[in-house]
């Protein structure tokens, strides 16, 4: 049988892309005088359901759920979304490990709708039944949990799990055989490595720390990046100039928030060609990423409004839109 | 020998109808999947996407037309079957090939182009006219093949 060309799915996604926020809608949100006005505008644009309260977190969670419900029904093989869902899965792993190690119950720490629910993950960690986790998580879950118990070093536990997440994303990208997923995985890992280098340089972290945190990828030489991070911010910028991520060097010169913004914009740049692709799973994956980016941007705006930040300060942090 | 001649002629008609019809079925199917995707989200675009979906259906009609002319030519429709030699039968088969082969391939390509054009209608319904031109361009080559098949079939002396 011929490979699924996702003709139905892509056409449906094209119709759904009409509701994605353009820069003009983002400007409208920025122009709102307070958070409540933003939320009302979001409701007017169809965000949330009829029974969703006028609350930022409730509306954003509802939109996220809606996106996943829609796209999961469009793919024959849900594993195509692994590269996107792994980040949440590993985030829940970190939360479960810390919860289990501290034995102090904290509510609402898990991201909902993951392959393994947060509660199940917590149960696995508490019972030390690591074999119930997928192969790519079992080893690191055991190692991170034992390290946390012995060292009480939460940051060390985090970087171990984060590195495993990056490696799993990279592996899923390579395995998928879809160009968009491979490119997304490559960009995600490379951008994460650059972020680690920048933050390590700013907080004077050791080479050993960076080695533990960075994951290998094709487009960035992590050894050169680590060396650059040890030699200062100028060295990182100089190294980035020689890679496909030279935009990052420019953003770094501007400000920390411009750099964080560039990191997300780089992902949008990677997926943008899918706007013109009429077949394959690419546009479906790109739509999920575009929605995630949109929700993140709205969250930034709402947080800015909650804290009465000036519009210009929020605008600096606003991500590029997919459409 | 004369029986083999009519067999070839009928094979020609069958090739024209079968290949072009198969192409159209695939093409309309591809465009139909895309049309369904759009209508799922926005039923108001039904009429526009339906027109797009129908575009790859013409090759099947062209194949039918050539098949009909061929059957008429050899007298199968009139009741008096012509006494064809092998050479004439093969000539009729060859004359039917252009619409058969071009019909098959162009209808599939047109179906894919129509699916992409349906994507334009989904996002910018006001650009329907422009969107329709892209799959319509593929039609040119099916029409050229139809022309050659009709000219060739009618030119053969029975």
């Amino acid at each position: 049988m011929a490979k699924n060309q996702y003709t139905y799915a892509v056409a449906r996604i094209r119709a759904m892309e009409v509701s994605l926020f353009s820069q003009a809608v983002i400007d409208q949100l920025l122009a709102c005088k307070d958070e409540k006005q933003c939320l009302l505008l979001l409701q007017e644009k169809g965000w949330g359901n009829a029974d969703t309260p006028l609350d930022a977190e409730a509306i954003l969670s509802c939109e996220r759920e809606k996106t996943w419900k829609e796209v999961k029904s469009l793919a024959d093989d849900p594993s195509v979304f692994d590269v996107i869902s792994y980040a949440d899965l590993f985030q829940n792993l970190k939360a479960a490990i810390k919860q289990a190690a501290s034995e102090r119950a904290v509510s609402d720490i898990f991201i909902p709708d993951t392959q393994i629910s947060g509660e199940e993950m917590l149960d696995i960690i508490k019972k030390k039944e690591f074999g119930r986790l997928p192969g790519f998580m079992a080893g690191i879950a055991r190692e991170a949990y034992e390290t946390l118990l012995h060292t009480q070093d939460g940051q060390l536990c985090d970087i171990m799990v984060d590195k495993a997440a990056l490696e799993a994303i990279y592996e899923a990208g390579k395995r998928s055989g879809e160009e968009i997923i491979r490119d997304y995985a490559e960009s995600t890992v490379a951008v994460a490595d650059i972020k680690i280098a920048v933050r390590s340089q700013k907080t004077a972290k050791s080479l050993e720390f960076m080695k533990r945190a960075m994951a290998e990828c094709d487009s960035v030489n992590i050894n050169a990046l680590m060396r650059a991070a040890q030699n200062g911010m100028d060295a990182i910028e100089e190294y980035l100039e020689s890679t496909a991520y030279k935009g990052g060097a420019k953003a770094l010169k501007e400000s920390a928030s411009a750099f964080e913004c560039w990191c997300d914009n780089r992902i949008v740049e990677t997926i943008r060609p899918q706007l013109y692709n009429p077949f394959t799973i690419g546009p479906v994956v790109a739509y999920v990423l575009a929605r995630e980016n949109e929700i993140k941007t709205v969250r930034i705006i709402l947080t800015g409004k909650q804290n009465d930040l000036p519009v210009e300060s929020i605008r600096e942090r606003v991500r590029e839109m997919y459409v | 020998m004369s029986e083999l001649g009519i067999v070839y002629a009928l094979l020609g008609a069958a090739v024209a109808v079968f290949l072009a019809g198969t192409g159209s079925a695939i093409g309309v199917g591809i465009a139909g999947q895309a049309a369904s995707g759009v209508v799922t989200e926005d039923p108001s675009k039904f009429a526009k996407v339906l027109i797009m979906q129908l575009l790859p259906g013409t090759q099947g009609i062209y194949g039918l037309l050539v098949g009909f002319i061929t059957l008429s030519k050899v007298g199968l429709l009139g009741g008096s079957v012509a006494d064809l030699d092998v050479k004439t039968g093969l000539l009729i088969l060859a004359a039917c090939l252009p619409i058969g082969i071009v019909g098959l391939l162009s209808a599939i390509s047109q179906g894919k182009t129509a699916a992409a054009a349906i994507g334009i209608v989904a996002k910018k319904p006001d650009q329907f006219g422009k969107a329709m031109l892209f799959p319509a361009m593929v039609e040119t080559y099916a029409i050229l093949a139809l022309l050659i098949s009709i000219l060739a079939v009618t030119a053969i002396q029975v």
Side-chain angles (χ1 to χ4, degrees):
Chain A
M1 200 178 153
K3 195 179 168 194
N4 186 352
Q5 287 294 294
Y6 292 95
T7 314
Y8 168 83
V10 176
R12 199 168 156 190
I13 287 293
R14 290 288 170 256
M16 285 154 71
E17 279 171 2
V18 177
S19 328
L20 283 176
F21 285 179
S22 63
Q23 206 56 50
V25 180
I26 295 298
D27 287 342
Q28 267 181 286
L29 278 170
L30 283 168
C32 290
K33 68 176 191 325
D34 55 22
E35 189 201 3
K36 193 179 173 196
Q37 206 178 12
C38 280
L39 293 173
L40 288 171
L41 179 63
L42 288 173
Q43 275 193 335
E44 205 180 289
K45 296 280 175 195
W47 278 43
N49 289 326
D51 56 348
T52 312
L54 196 64
D55 169 71
E57 208 44 58
I59 291 178
L60 296 178
S61 304
C62 175
E63 283 307 300
R64 210 160 176 269
E65 273 171 39
K66 269 198 244 172
T67 308
W68 280 106
K69 197 177 160 196
E70 280 159 356
V71 298
K72 275 185 180 165
S73 66
L74 294 177
D76 294 343
D77 173 14
S79 73
V80 292
F81 300 117
D82 281 354
V83 280
I84 307 171
S85 62
Y86 278 176
D88 288 349
L89 195 61
F90 278 90
Q91 192 63 36
N92 279 351
L93 177 63
K94 280 197 284 188
I97 290 174
K98 287 181 181 172
Q99 175 95 297
S102 71
E103 287 177 0
R104 195 178 60 225
V106 185
S107 60
D108 292 335
I109 56 167
F110 296 116
I111 298 170
D113 294 326
T114 48
Q115 196 182 325
I116 303 167
S117 71
E119 290 69 26
E120 192 186 345
M121 194 96 79
L122 183 60
D123 184 58
I124 292 169
I125 305 292
K126 276 183 176 170
K127 292 178 180 163
K128 296 186 182 176
E129 292 171 351
F130 300 103
R132 281 164 61 197
L133 291 169
F136 57 87
M137 285 184 101
I140 193 64
R142 180 192 300 275
E143 203 184 328
Y145 181 59
E146 282 169 4
T147 305
L148 185 62
L149 286 180
H150 291 136
T151 64
Q152 297 297 313
D153 186 344
Q155 190 183 37
L156 180 60
C157 167
D158 282 353
I159 62 165
M160 286 168 78
V161 177
D162 285 343
K163 182 177 180 176
L166 290 176
E167 285 169 347
I169 289 171
Y170 199 67
E171 188 52 42
K174 291 264 181 200
R175 199 176 52 227
S176 75
E178 292 287 344
E179 199 183 341
I180 165 85
I181 299 174
R182 201 178 53 238
D183 289 352
Y184 167 73
E186 180 70 42
S187 279
T188 303
V189 176
V191 167
D193 284 342
I194 296 167
K195 270 187 193 175
I196 292 166
V198 170
R199 289 171 187 170
S200 299
Q201 197 283 324
K202 282 183 177 167
T203 52
K205 293 286 181 194
S206 66
L207 186 69
E208 196 52 41
F209 176 88
M210 285 189 274
K211 272 184 188 165
R212 277 184 170 163
M214 285 188 191
E216 292 275 356
C217 66
D218 288 342
S219 55
V220 166
N221 179 340
I222 57 168
N223 291 320
L225 189 59
M226 283 188 281
R227 276 197 304 276
Q230 289 211 303
N231 292 333
M233 201 56 81
D234 290 343
I236 296 179
E237 287 168 15
E238 198 180 317
Y239 172 70
L240 290 181
E241 289 285 354
S242 66
T243 67
Y245 305 95
K246 56 179 72 167
K250 199 176 153 219
L252 268 176
K253 284 189 184 104
E254 239 175 86
S255 68
S257 54
F259 172 72
E260 290 292 328
C261 208
W262 171 83
C263 292
D264 287 340
N265 290 347
R266 167 80 206 181
I267 305 293
V268 175
E269 250 175 65
T270 306
I271 61 170
R272 193 160 277 141
Q274 297 306 318
L275 277 172
Y276 314 108
N277 181 4
F279 300 106
T280 77
I281 191 72
V284 184
V285 174
Y287 176 79
V288 180
L289 294 169
R291 282 286 281 161
E292 295 272 329
N293 181 57
E294 185 181 68
I295 292 168
K296 187 175 191 175
T297 303
V298 171
R299 190 188 296 278
I300 290 168
I301 296 173
L302 291 173
T303 311
K305 294 285 177 190
Q306 272 168 5
N307 294 291
D308 289 325
L309 290 181
V311 173
E312 278 322 302
S313 179
I314 306 173
R315 192 182 294 280
E316 195 192 26
R317 289 163 173 80
V318 163
R319 274 54 174 163
E320 248 177 57
M321 291 292 105
Y322 177 57
V323 291
Chain B
M1 286 296 281
S2 60
E3 278 174 9
L4 206 51
I6 194 74
V7 168
Y8 283 132
L10 274 176
L11 187 62
V15 161
V17 175
F18 175 76
L19 291 183
T22 303
S24 277
I26 297 172
V28 172
I30 293 170
Q33 287 178 43
S36 305
V38 173
V39 174
T40 305
E41 291 299 318
D42 186 358
S44 71
K45 295 198 175 89
F46 172 73
K48 283 180 177 169
V49 296
L50 181 69
I51 294 169
M52 292 284 193
Q53 190 200 351
L54 292 178
L55 287 175
T58 51
Q59 283 84 344
I61 299 169
Y62 300 160
L64 179 74
L65 182 65
V66 170
F68 190 79
I69 293 171
T70 306
L71 294 181
S72 174
K73 181 92 184 172
V74 299
L76 271 172
L77 293 181
S80 54
V81 181
D83 187 17
L84 299 181
D85 57 17
V86 173
K87 184 185 158 197
T88 310
L90 283 172
L91 281 173
I92 292 173
L93 171 61
C96 291
L97 285 178
I99 190 57
I101 296 169
V102 178
L104 172 74
L105 299 176
S106 69
I108 296 171
S109 299
Q110 199 172 27
K112 289 178 182 172
T113 319
I118 285 169
I120 301 178
V121 176
K123 291 182 91 168
K124 295 186 169 139
D126 54 316
Q127 299 298 318
F128 173 71
K130 286 178 191 165
M132 209 169 81
L133 276 178
F134 298 121
M137 296 303 283
V138 186
E139 192 75 18
T140 313
Y141 303 95
I143 293 171
L144 295 180
L146 170 71
L147 198 64
I148 290 301
S149 283
I150 290 177
L151 288 175
V153 171
T154 49
I156 295 165
Q157 297 294 323
V158 178

